[in-house]
Each structure stands twice: as structure tokens, then as C-alpha cells.
Amino acid sequence: MSRTKVLASSAGSLLCVGALLVTFGLSSPAAGAARPSSASLAITGAGSTFDAPFFTKAFYEYGNAHPGLRVDYAAIGSGGGIQQFQQGTVAFGATDVPMSSSEVAHTSGGPTLQVPVDLGGEAVAYNLAGVKVRLKMSGTILGDIFLGKIRQWNDPRIAGLNPGVRLPDEAITVVHRSDGSGTTYIFASYLADTSSAWARGPGVSKSIAWPTGVGGQGNAGVAGLVHEIPGAIGYVELAYAVEDHFSFFSLQNRAGNFITPSLATVAADAAHKSKVSATNFGIVDEPGANSYPIAGYSWLLLHQRATSVKSGQALQALFVWLTGQAQSIAGSLNYVPLPSGVRAEAHAVLAEMTGPGGVALAD
Amino acid sequence: MLRASPRLAVMVFGALLLAIVISLGTGAAPAIGHFGTGLLTGTVWDPQAVRLGALTFLVGTIETTALAMVVVVPIGLGCALFLVGFVRPRLRSMLSTAIELMAGVPSVVYGLWGLQVGAPFVRTILEPALHAALGSTGIAGGPDLGIGLLLGSLVLSMMVLPTMVAVTRDVLAAVPDDRVEGALALGATRWQALTRVALPAARTGVLGAATLAMGRAIGETVAITMVIGNNPAFAHSLFAPADTMTSVIASEFTAATEPFHASALVFIGVLLMLVSVIVNAGARLLVRATLRGSLVRQRVAAS
Amino acid sequence: MEIEVRQVSAWFDDQLVLEDVSFTVPSLSVTALIGPSGSGKSTLLRVINRMHEETRGSRLEGQVLLDGEEIYAPRVDPATLRRSAGMVFQAPNPFPNMTILENASSGLAFNGVRKRSVLEHAAERVLRLVGLWEEIPDRLRRPAVGLSGGQQQRLCIARAIAVEPDVLLMDEPCSALDPISTLAIEALLKELSATYTIIVVTHDLQQAARVSDSTVFLSNNRAGGPGRVIEVSPTVKLFTEPKDARTEAYLTGRLG
């Protein structure tokens, strides 16, 4: 083996290892993903799967109206969206629960803006083949079911809410998300709000230490398991319950009424809290006779300071449109359009965007 | 150059492996530093409360794998013996192709099959039967969910059966013909010749085949995540939902934003890698020893 | 037990390897089967205990009778038949997973004998017969693979006679052995001929002359052609005054 060949092969192996190090993320992450170029601009975002259908359609239409601009969105989940945004690998993130102050503190690239972008509700679905009427449920009892304290469908407390319904002597199987999720956070918020036992116990988080039940991956996983297991109860985004023809509960709201989830009843809930922000975002169990109690906004994550004036302008225009006119697209896709007060607030936050070093984005 | 190449290749792959270990180790270090040995021996998994112990998942992996092997070893042995001893060459090659196709089916398809077909079967037939045989407490306790430890193990066994059959078939076929013929000439039936002469002669290889299948079962992720029930607690019965090292990583990693959560999952990854490397290396050594042994014997016989 | 081979033809796939072979072997005699390589000697031997049919793609026509009983009759179970027509292979093939004692009694175990005392008694009888019992008394419970080639082959003979067959078929039993081991096997063969009807395939003409009573000479006319019986005679006669020119050519090294 000649000396040159040794050198060549060693260089080859070093190259190989180098490529691997890059693959495993030991290299520095790419800086901001909004890269202006002479002819076109590509904006990349990642996060919530809840937002994905809305974003896909809206970004497609926006791209058609703005030649030379492309927006790509990766639906990797809220947690993933926050991580990617913190590391600066995407220009914007999307999450069903706003970033906490400590998460914001760990974000590179300057101050973070959080903007409400769409609104949705969650249904609590169940699988009881023999029961044809829609069952009623309260947060307190639901909390005890998810705590594993109520284990049978014919429990007197469930029967008490549903007089005249023959409930089967069947075991209840709790189905929950196995992945960390904003959907879980919002559902747990409702349980904590209505059940003190839940608030003292598992509490509110995107990942819960579940006292009972089986876990499914994503909304689809939970929906699949509820569908599969007789006697199951699980929470899913409203769109899943509507499209997959599940039975789902009428839930008792703060006013004591039993409300069926729908776009209108979720909107009624949201209407009772006109001011929301990243630190005061909860809208579960709002007052109002017709409010459906499990609802929440999804949030955009943006760097206040854009990497260039041009990309800052493009991002600002895109998201002003997304939280304004584009809400009619959301309405056509089983989302609840943002209330007008919340839209105004979103636009006020977006107006805080600047270029590098705080220069204004004025036209 | 030719003579040095293998060593260079080993060096390159050794370096790659080292790079993986270092990058994973770096990722796991914060959790190891924070939890110490509790990270390995702890049984509570509560990211929100920052209490993370991986023992539940290690046990879950051991349980599902062991149960799967209880199914795979006898069935796989039976299939391999059948293929080697009782099937005409044309049918044998057809069946072998079918087995190899089975091994190539993507994991997610087995997962879907597990949910659509396996879960109702386990819930309505297998679990009631087990209740009848074992009672409704202890290892057959709990409600009949379909999904859980038992279904997870069954799906795993479906997935690794082709590996077991294919490798066992090869090591059995590698037993020199004259041993089997020696038995037949003494009035042994074909079954006796295979089970009492060929099988013991190939036992190291068969053990290797089982270990190789076990290695696959340990590392299997997608399908098991779909059918195990994802409950990070010790499975108290066959029917209980559980979690494995692979399923918890797959479920939780993308959304692991709590402190040390991602790092603890990386630690589980390191653990998984160690277990897999040990099991796979063992399997390969056993299989190679058997195949090489048979070649040596054939050469001696031929000389 | 008298062996009669009647008009036997044998094929592997489409290749005819034996054509119209007929001869008779008298009871309690040693018959040598000689002939050039590829003349079908081993195949013929395997036809007589129905091992031929264990090879994939094999086919057969004709009859083989043991004491007048047709062994290819539908009601004959090949496993049962093989117990009365034992076989010793070219290369010693003791079962590697068994001890010497277990090897010796393995045929009985295959036939359903489970009682340890019976098995060990049978093993002792045949191991004494082949001289291993006295030769290696301290190694009988060790794996058979530790034995020398000659000892292994004697163990295989012991194994074959433990099931008390009437016929012993030996396929070049000494070809893998050194001269001393060969002589030991030949001596054993002589001894066994008092109890068994023996056919031995051999390439070693001296061996054929030393051990056999009669000799069957098989040959093919052209390389790759089917083997045919050229001559069957008492060994002394075949070696001293062969009837066929081809036999003489083979014996003098001009053929094969």
C-alpha cells in the first residue's frame, strides 16, 4: 500500500465521519430559513399538526397570488415546532400551546412574538355500540374517569347525568395521546378547571403521567384506538370526531348546560374572552349559556427581528393576511375563524416586527 | 491495498460507530448528570414532574421480546424443518420467496394489520380463551383491550418469524447430507433424522437464528408503537398496555420539550443500542460458527 | 438373506445411470461390487435399501427381492426395510451430537427403544463385536467425533448391525482410511460374513480379492453413459480368468 493511497483513504474515512457528524447535528444549525434571493423567497415553518390543513390550503393560495414566494410548512407537532424555532432552523413555528417564558428564554435569534392564528375545539369521543343517544358528561366525572376512579360505564354517577339511558356493564378504557401534545394540554386544562382531584394530581401539561389507559400516537392514533376498543373514551380534535362519525359527549359548561361540540359552540366559548396573549391564552370552560368548554387557539412563533428587511416585510404581510382575510379559508375547513378582537390583537403584535437591529419595516 | 482494505473498512465503520456513540452520549449526558443511576433504575416516567426512570421501558422490551420468542422459536423451528425435510424443491423455493417477502413488508403494515385484525382477534378470541385457562387475575388480569403486551408480542413474532425460519432453514440445510442419510439408513423416519440428528448438529446456528430474530424484535419500533398501548408502567398482566424502549422514543421524542425529557430519551436510545449490539453480535458469531463448522467438515470429508 | 436384483434401471432427473442391471447374491456371502468411477456402483447399493429414492429427482424401474420379497411393493415401508438392510457409508459419519454409546444404539432409539439398559446392552454387544469396547473403554461416554477415522468407521459398522439387519451394504468403507485401519475393517468384514449377507463397493481390487466370495463388475461403455453388469463370477474366477474382455481390460488397468 503506497503512501499516497494511505493518505487518500484516510481522507476518505475522515470525510465519511465528517458527514456523519453533520448528520447527527454536531454542526451548527443553519441560520434563519427565510433566504432572500434575487428572484424568489422561500419561507419555511414547522409545528402543530392541528394547523396543517389550514396552512396547506392558505399557503397554496398565497403562493398563487404572490409569484416568487413559496411557503413550506412541516407538520411535525407543536413540540417539534417549538424546538425547531428555538434552534433557528425555521422562520416561523406553530404550536397549540404558547411557548413558556423559559422556552422563550432558550430561543436564539432575539425576542419572540407569539400570535394567535386559528381556533379549534376538542371532542371527547366514546365507543358504546349499544347506546344510540348522545351521552352527557361533566368535567368532574370525566376527571374521575381519566383518574381511573370510575371504571364502569354503568357507574351511578354517569347514569345520574343520563337518566333513562341504559348504560352497559362494560369497562371503560381511557385512551390518551402517547406523544406530547397541545391537544393534551387543552384537554387537561379543562379537567383541571372542573376537577380539583385532577388539578391536584396529574395537572396540566403537554405530557401527562397518565394514571390509567392506553396511549395512541397523534389524533389519528387516539381516534383509531377509540374506534377499536369497545368501551373506550378519548379526546380528539373536533374535526376528527366530525369526520370519523364518532359518538361524542355533550359536555357540561360553566353555566351548567350540556353543549354539543360544533364550530358555533366553540366560537361562543371563545367570544367570552376577547383578549388573549401568550401568557393568558386559556379559553377552556368560559362562561356563556351556549359555550362548549374545550377550546383553544393555536399560535404562530416569530422572531421579532427578521434577518433582513425584505424577509421581514414578506413574513409580516403573510401573517397579517393569514390572521385576517385567510380566516374565511379556516372557516371552510372545520376551524373556528378568529374573533374580530383577537384578529386586531394579532395584527397589533405583528406590527411589532422589525428588521435586523430593530430597523423599521416601513414600506 | 487489497490486503489493507478490510482493515480500513473496519476502521471507517468503527469511527462511524464511535461518532454515533459520542453524539448519543453527548445527548444523554445532561439526563445522566441530573438523575444519576436513577435514570436506569427508576420506574416513574413523569416528564412534567421531571422524574424520569427508564427501567419500565427496559422491562417492557424484555417482556415483549421474550413473549415473542416463546411463539417464534417453536413455530419457526417447525416451519424450517418442514421446508428442509418435507417440501419438494420447487415448492420450497416458492415458500422461501414468500418468507423473504414477508420479511420485506414494512413495519407500519404489520402495525396496521395488528390494529385491524390482530386487536379484535386478541380481544374477542385469545383473551377470553386465556381467561378460561388462567382465570381473570394475575397474568390474565385486566380488561380485554386487544391492544397491549400480548398483541405487541404477537405482532413482533409475526415480524421476526421470517428471520427465524430463513436462518434456521439455512443452518439446517448446511448440516452435511451424510448425517441425515446415516440416520435414514438405520431406519429413522425423515422427522427423526431431522430432529434427532440434523437439529442437534445445527443447534448453535439455530440458537443464532433465534438470537438474530430476538435482535430484530428488540429494535422493532413502528408496529410495536401502534399496538402496545403506550403506557409507561410495568405491565401487570399479559393484557395490560405497556411501553418499550423503542415505543417511548418514537412516541415522545418529537414533542419532548420538558427539561431532561429529550436527554432521557436519548439515554434510552443508548441503552437500546447497547442491548441490540450485544444481541446481534452474539447471534452473528453463533451462526457463523455453525456455517463455518459445516464447511470444515465437508472439506475434511471430501479430502 | 438372498438378494436378487432384477432388470433395474435408475435415473437422476433425465440421466440414466444404471441400465437393466440383474444379478443374484447368495445368502451369507460377501459380494464385491467393482467398476470404474461413474459406473453406478453406489447408486446400485442405494437401490437395494431404498436410499436411492431419498435423492431429489431420482427414479427407478425394475425389482429388488430380499428372500423373494419385493422391496418396492407398495406395502413396504422404507424405514422398516432399511432396518433389515443396513448401510455403511464411504466417509465415516457418526452423529456428532451423540456419544459413542449413543451412536452405537442410535438405530434402536430411532426404532422406538427407550429403555436405557436395553440400549446400553445392545451398544456393548456391537462395540465388542467391532473391537471398540476393549480398545477405548474410558471414552465410550464421550462424543464420537474424537475417534480416529478407522475407529469412527468401525463405530458406524457397529451402529448398522445394532438393529440386527440381515444385509450389510458397504459403500467403499475403507476409502477414507489408512492401511492399518483398512485391514482391521477387512478382518471384521470376514467375521461378519458368517452372520450377514454383505455387498461391498470397492475401488481397491486387492481388497475385493481379499474379502469377497463373488464379484459383480459394473461398467459404462462411454463416460457419462449408464452402468451395466458386465460380469458376475466367483471372485477367484473373475480375477484369474475373466469371461469378458472388458473385465480383463479393467483388471489390468487399461479401463477406468
Side-chain angles (χ1 to χ4, degrees):
Chain A
M1 185 147 138
S2 75
R3 196 171 177 80
T4 26
K5 277 177 179 169
V6 174
L7 285 174
S9 346
S10 318
S13 52
L14 277 176
L15 211 71
C16 223
V17 174
L20 189 94
L21 293 183
V22 172
T23 316
F24 279 82
L26 292 186
S27 70
S28 67
R35 292 183 203 85
S37 72
S38 57
S40 67
L41 186 63
I43 296 174
T44 310
S48 160
T49 50
F50 171 69
D51 296 327
F54 170 41
F55 284 7
T56 305
K57 183 145 193 238
F59 292 155
Y60 174 75
E61 291 194 5
Y62 195 77
N64 283 348
H66 297 77
L69 179 73
R70 210 179 81 226
V71 187
D72 294 313
Y73 181 71
I76 59 174
S78 295
I82 290 175
Q83 279 180 345
Q84 299 299 314
F85 179 74
Q86 284 177 322
Q87 291 164 10
T89 50
V90 291
F92 72 94
T95 172
D96 299 343
V97 178
M99 285 169 77
S100 65
S101 52
S102 77
E103 283 172 333
V104 169
H106 284 95
T107 303
S108 59
T112 300
L113 299 179
Q114 305 200 57
V115 185
V117 69
D118 52 34
L119 172 57
E122 290 173 21
V124 183
Y126 58 87
N127 178 347
L128 272 187
V131 178
K132 299 296 175 203
V133 298
R134 186 184 302 286
L135 293 177
K136 293 171 180 167
M137 181 56 69
S138 76
T140 325
I141 294 176
L142 199 57
D144 280 350
I145 290 173
F146 273 75
L147 283 168
K149 289 182 186 168
I150 296 177
R151 296 174 171 274
Q152 291 293 120
W153 275 103
N154 58 355
D155 188 278
R157 295 176 63 198
I158 303 176
L161 287 179
N162 296 282
V165 181
R166 280 183 58 92
L167 289 164
D169 179 17
E170 201 172 320
I172 297 174
T173 300
V174 166
V175 182
H176 54 72
R177 290 282 287 267
S178 61
D179 48 338
S181 156
T183 312
T184 296
Y185 186 99
I186 293 166
F187 178 70
S189 306
Y190 171 65
L191 293 185
D193 212 50
T194 51
S195 156
S196 53
W198 186 271
R200 283 195 309 272
V204 178
S205 169
K206 283 179 278 189
S207 310
I208 301 275
W210 297 97
T212 183
V214 299
Q217 179 84 357
N219 277 291
V222 171
L225 291 178
V226 171
H227 199 79
E228 175 49 43
I229 303 172
I233 291 184
Y235 55 95
V236 288
E237 284 162 10
L238 187 51
Y240 274 89
V242 173
E243 284 163 17
D244 291 355
H245 312 292
F246 277 107
S247 303
F248 40 84
F249 292 112
S250 289
L251 285 184
Q252 191 171 36
N253 66 10
R254 185 163 290 250
N257 299 333
F258 291 92
I259 305 298
T260 304
S262 70
L263 299 185
T265 55
V266 170
D269 177 85
H272 281 270
K273 185 167 185 171
S274 55
K275 285 190 78 69
V276 290
S277 70
T279 49
N280 182 14
F281 55 88
I283 54 165
V284 296
D285 209 19
E286 293 294 322
N290 204 28
S291 297
Y292 180 75
I294 312 183
Y297 291 100
S298 192
W299 299 76
L300 285 170
L301 308 173
L302 292 161
H303 296 291
Q304 186 174 12
R305 291 189 199 125
T307 50
S308 73
V309 170
K310 194 181 172 216
S311 73
Q313 286 170 340
L315 284 165
Q316 195 180 42
L318 169 67
F319 293 123
V320 166
W321 175 79
L322 194 67
T323 53
Q325 281 168 283
Q327 287 298 310
S328 61
I329 300 174
S332 69
L333 292 170
N334 276 330
Y335 296 83
V336 181
L338 292 178
S340 56
V342 174
R343 283 187 208 196
E345 206 168 338
H347 291 168
V349 176
L350 286 168
E352 293 172 26
M353 286 185 74
T354 70
V359 300
L361 287 178
D363 292 332
Chain B
M1 185 69 194
L2 274 176
R3 220 186 50 179
S5 289
R7 196 189 300 166
L8 189 72
V10 167
M11 275 167 58
V12 169
F13 281 100
L16 289 177
L17 199 67
L18 197 67
I20 294 175
V21 170
I22 289 171
S23 60
L24 284 180
T26 312
I32 297 171
H34 186 265
F35 297 107
T37 53
L39 187 57
L40 179 63
T41 57
T43 57
V44 175
W45 185 260
D46 187 347
Q48 189 198 353
V50 197
R51 293 182 64 196
L52 301 170
L55 191 62
T56 319
F57 309 108
L58 183 61
V59 170
T61 293
I62 292 170
E63 283 175 339
T64 47
T65 305
L67 268 175
M69 295 320 288
V70 166
V71 176
V72 163
V73 169
I75 295 181
L77 263 183
C79 289
L81 286 170
F82 177 72
L83 277 177
V84 171
F86 299 94
V87 175
R88 291 174 174 281
R90 260 187 63 186
L91 184 60
R92 193 211 283 207
S93 79
M94 275 164 60
L95 288 174
S96 296
T97 309
I99 288 166
E100 268 132 42
L101 285 178
M102 251 179 91
V105 172
S107 175
V108 66
V109 175
Y110 281 99
L112 284 174
W113 176 87
L115 279 180
Q116 299 281 319
V117 183
F121 167 75
V122 170
R123 188 181 63 245
T124 57
I125 297 171
L126 198 55
E127 291 185 343
L130 284 170
H131 279 311
L134 304 169
S136 292
T137 53
I139 69 160
D144 302 344
L145 304 179
I147 61 164
L149 191 63
L150 186 62
L151 179 61
S153 307
L154 286 181
V155 169
L156 278 187
S157 59
M158 288 279 299
M159 297 185 68
V160 304
L161 187 63
T163 307
M164 177 74 194
V165 174
V167 181
T168 308
R169 175 200 63 197
D170 291 348
V171 295
L172 278 179
V175 173
D177 272 351
D178 67 347
R179 315 286 146 152
V180 176
E181 291 204 326
L184 291 175
L186 288 169
T189 60
R190 198 141 253 284
W191 178 250
Q192 287 175 324
L194 281 171
T195 53
R196 288 159 78 164
V197 175
L199 197 57
R203 65 181 183 275
T204 328
V206 173
L207 192 63
T211 319
L212 210 58
M214 197 164 94
R216 280 204 60 194
I218 289 170
E220 169 44 40
T221 305
V222 176
I224 190 86
T225 307
M226 290 168 81
V227 299
I228 189 83
N230 303 300
N231 183 25
F234 285 119
H236 49 85
S237 94
L238 282 175
F239 307 163
D243 235 332
T244 66
M245 293 194 276
T246 53
S247 71
V248 71
I249 295 173
S251 299
E252 298 190 1
F253 194 75
T254 53
T257 49
E258 276 81 5
F260 302 111
H261 191 180
S263 177
L265 289 171
V266 173
F267 170 76
I268 294 176
V270 174
L271 202 61
L272 179 62
M273 189 168 114
L274 283 177
V275 173
S276 302
V277 164
I278 292 168
V279 167
N280 274 301
R284 273 164 219 287
L285 287 176
L286 288 173
V287 172
R288 202 182 305 161
T290 309
L291 295 181
R292 192 194 290 142
S294 82
L295 282 180
V296 170
R297 277 200 299 276
Q298 277 166 356
R299 253 180 241 136
V300 168
S303 64
Chain C
M1 182 174 270
E2 186 192 74
I3 304 166
E4 188 183 352
V5 176
R6 263 191 212 164
Q7 294 170 324
V8 161
S9 296
W11 290 261
F12 290 114
D13 296 318
D14 292 332
Q15 199 196 349
L16 182 63
V17 291
L18 279 179
E19 188 174 23
D20 196 23
V21 170
S22 298
F23 64 90
T24 301
V25 170
S27 189
L28 300 182
S29 66
V30 178
T31 301
L33 213 50
I34 61 169
S37 296
S39 58
K41 305 182 296 294
S42 293
T43 304
L44 178 55
L45 206 63
R46 292 165 63 90
V47 165
I48 296 170
N49 70 342
R50 293 189 60 168
M51 284 297 287
H52 177 64
E53 69 202 47
E54 294 294 342
T55 307
R56 304 219 186 265
S58 63
R59 197 154 64 79
L60 187 79
E61 272 176 18
Q63 291 176 305
V64 177
L65 296 91
L66 297 184
D67 269 352
E69 295 275 350
E70 162 60 357
I71 67 166
Y72 283 95
R75 59 184 164 73
V76 177
D77 170 36
T80 314
L81 167 84
R82 287 175 199 142
R83 281 169 223 161
S84 55
M87 183 163 226
V88 177
F89 293 78
Q90 190 171 352
N93 58 346
F95 303 128
N97 55 301
M98 298 182 193
T99 65
I100 293 165
L101 277 178
E102 285 166 348
N103 258 285
S105 59
S106 56
L108 291 172
F110 290 139
N111 295 333
V113 178
R114 294 196 186 282
K115 234 178 142 179
R116 209 186 146 95
S117 58
V118 176
L119 291 173
E120 295 210 338
H121 192 260
E124 181 182 344
R125 180 180 72 84
V126 291
L127 288 173
R128 279 187 192 282
L129 207 63
V130 300
L132 284 175
W133 185 265
E134 296 85 357
E135 200 171 311
I136 43 162
D138 50 337
R139 284 160 60 186
L140 297 170
R141 291 185 195 280
R142 299 225 199 123
V145 285
L147 296 176
S148 74
Q151 289 170 330
Q152 288 192 16
Q153 195 63 303
R154 280 190 282 150
L155 175 59
C156 289
I157 295 171
R159 186 175 73 181
I161 57 184
V163 291
E164 299 179 4
D166 300 303
V167 174
L168 261 187
L169 305 167
M170 301 182 147
D171 189 358
E172 299 185 46
C174 304
S175 65
L177 304 183
D178 61 81
I180 294 170
S181 303
T182 301
L183 287 177
I185 301 271
E186 285 180 10
L188 180 60
L189 225 151
K190 280 278 191 202
E191 214 180 308
L192 294 173
S193 66
T195 330
Y196 305 98
T197 306
I198 296 171
I199 301 183
V200 54
V201 168
T202 180
H203 269 292
D204 180 347
L205 298 178
Q206 267 77 46
Q207 184 174 62
R210 284 194 296 270
V211 301
S212 68
D213 305 310
S214 61
T215 296
V216 176
F217 174 55
L218 279 181
S219 184
N220 41 3
N221 289 338
R222 53 189 168 80
R228 291 198 189 85
V229 174
I230 306 299
E231 187 172 345
V232 181
S233 299
T235 301
V236 181
K237 199 149 177 274
L238 187 130
F239 275 82
T240 50
E241 39 188 307
K243 284 184 280 190
D244 196 289
R246 285 168 294 184
T247 314
E248 190 178 1
Y250 178 70
L251 293 175
T252 53
R254 281 177 284 129
L255 182 72

